Amino acid sequence: MKQNDEAEFALLYRKYAPYIQRFLQSIGCPAQDAEDITQETFVKAFLHIESYRSECQLSTWLCQIAKNTWFTQLKRHRKTVPLDPEQVRAAEEKTFEWLDLIEHLPEPYRTVLREKLWGGRTYPEIAAMYGKSESWARVTFFRARQKLKEMNEEGRT
């Protein structure tokens, strides 16, 4: 690996690792496992970067790898953690549904939601990103959540 590649990879890791860990926790991954799975996610992403298609954002691709890694780990540990295959399948499907819904949110709702939930940004930080007020950030986040709920109920219209 070239030194420049290592530096870029380190930069991506610093930028997206907290986001991926929060995403994993949001779909039920215990905090103690989220860090390890995040590291494994980045190793897989680095090894298979040629399969990344820019049809989706890099963060979405990384979340998919993380989710698949976590579900694979759960399946491997069935002996110690009793899992119903239907529950695992249902959780996988629901995760895909929510990720798809988020991808179809209009801007700025999509970015504000991501930055708040997975990016760990505060309302003042989000407001500064857009040159808006903190109250704008709060209202936009609230509306993003409302739109997600509506889209879920309507089957993403």
Side-chain angles (χ1 to χ4, degrees):
M1 181 180 340
K2 297 177 186 173
Q3 189 172 0
N4 191 34
D5 290 342
E6 290 176 8
E8 286 180 31
F9 183 72
L11 195 77
L12 286 174
Y13 185 84
R14 279 193 301 277
K15 180 178 180 179
Y16 290 108
Y19 177 86
I20 300 303
Q21 286 179 14
R22 279 188 289 281
F23 166 73
L24 286 164
Q25 290 174 351
S26 77
I27 61 170
C29 181
Q32 65 269 20
D33 295 335
E35 187 174 342
D36 292 339
I37 293 171
T38 298
Q39 291 175 1
E40 189 174 342
T41 296
F42 279 88
V43 169
K44 288 179 178 181
F46 185 77
L47 293 174
H48 302 284
I49 193 70
E50 73 282 349
S51 68
Y52 171 67
R53 297 181 310 264
S54 58
E55 296 168 359
C56 66
Q57 293 188 4
L58 181 61
S59 59
T60 302
W61 184 64
L62 291 170
C63 283
Q64 292 293 342
I65 294 171
K67 179 197 63 69
N68 290 337
T69 302
W70 181 53
F71 284 137
T72 298
Q73 179 179 320
L74 285 176
K75 288 175 186 175
R76 260 190 255 135
H77 293 98
R78 278 189 200 186
K79 293 177 185 170
T80 57
V81 180
L83 292 175
D84 177 350
E86 283 302 312
Q87 290 174 325
V88 171
R89 192 172 9 266
E92 287 175 342
E93 288 174 11
K94 194 65 178 166
T95 300
F96 278 122
E97 288 172 17
W98 282 108
L99 286 172
D100 187 51
L101 287 174
I102 290 168
E103 280 301 305
H104 287 87
L105 272 175
E107 287 297 342
Y109 301 117
R110 178 176 50 229
T111 301
V112 169
L113 186 80
R114 283 180 175 162
E115 291 299 325
K116 183 68 179 149
L117 294 178
W118 299 321
R121 303 242 191 254
T122 63
Y123 290 116
E125 290 172 327
I126 293 169
M129 288 170 57
Y130 285 91
K132 304 277 187 176
S133 69
E134 181 178 338
S135 131
W136 174 88
R138 289 179 185 277
V139 168
T140 303
F141 177 72
F142 175 79
R143 288 181 181 162
R145 288 181 40 214
Q146 290 304 110
K147 282 193 171 291
L148 264 182
K149 288 177 187 176
E150 290 169 11
M151 290 166 64
N152 185 46
E153 289 168 3
E154 296 170 1
R156 195 183 48 122
T157 55

